[in-house]
């Protein structure tokens, strides 16, 4: 049974940092491209970042480029999203997901996701 579990969310002040984790069971995260999404209250879900399983490259939405870093620990079967210089507009529920495809980072949001985690809430507020 495939399961993705996010953790690491919480309340942080503007300018602070958080590291989100996406731990997988029943699925080798290093074999598939893994995506992070977020959904803020009253807004549509937004693709944030991905890490490719084919070329190892990464993709970031313009809104987080230069502040967020995605990485993978194959030994722990976990993907991370390091979030620095957080802003109130980063407040959202963050989800990891996979389309169960091996695609380059440039195409990581082209396909529908097959598995989703339940999300972790990030609140950026003073």
């Amino acid at each position: 049974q495939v399961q993705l579990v996010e953790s690491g969310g919480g309340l942080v002040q503007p300018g602070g940092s958080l590291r989100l984790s996406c731990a997988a069971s029943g699925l080798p995260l290093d074999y598939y491209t893994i995506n992070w999404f977020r959904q803020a209250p009253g807004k549509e879900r937004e693709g944030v970042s991905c890490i490719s399983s084919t070329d190892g490259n990464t993709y970031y939405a313009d809104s987080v480029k230069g502040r967020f870093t995605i990485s993978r620990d194959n030994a722990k079967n976990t993907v991370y999203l390091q979030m620095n210089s957080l802003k109130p507009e980063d407040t959202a529920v963050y989800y990891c997901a996979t389309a169960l495809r091996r695609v380059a980072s440039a195409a990581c949001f082209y396909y529908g996701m097959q598995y989703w985690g339940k999300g972790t809430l990030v609140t950026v507020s003073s």
Side-chain angles (χ1 to χ4, degrees), residues 8 17 19 29-30 37-38 41 76 86 95 102 109 124 126:
S17 297
R19 189 179 77 159
L29 288 187
D30 61 339
F37 292 83
R38 69 184 181 185
K76 295 183 178 180
L86 283 162
Y95 302 90
R102 293 170 53 81
F109 288 100
V124 185
S126 54

Side-chain angles (χ1 to χ4, degrees), residues 23-57:
S25 57
L27 181 73
L29 288 187
D30 61 339
Y31 191 77
Y32 297 105
T33 296
I34 305 299
N35 297 42
W36 282 97
F37 292 83
R38 69 184 181 185
Q39 188 164 20
K43 294 189 177 180
E44 292 190 356
R45 188 169 55 206
E46 171 191 18
V48 174
S49 180
C50 74
I51 184 164
S52 170
S53 59
T54 56
D55 57 15
N57 288 339

Side-chain angles (χ1 to χ4, degrees), residues 15-18 38 48-50 58-70 81-87 90:
S17 297
L18 284 175
R38 69 184 181 185
V48 174
S49 180
C50 74
T58 57
Y59 164 88
Y60 299 96
D62 287 343
S63 57
V64 306
K65 199 172 296 182
R67 300 187 298 120
F68 289 12
T69 303
I70 191 171
L81 186 68
Q82 177 68 43
M83 307 187 298
N84 299 329
S85 302
L86 283 162
K87 305 175 181 179
D90 294 318

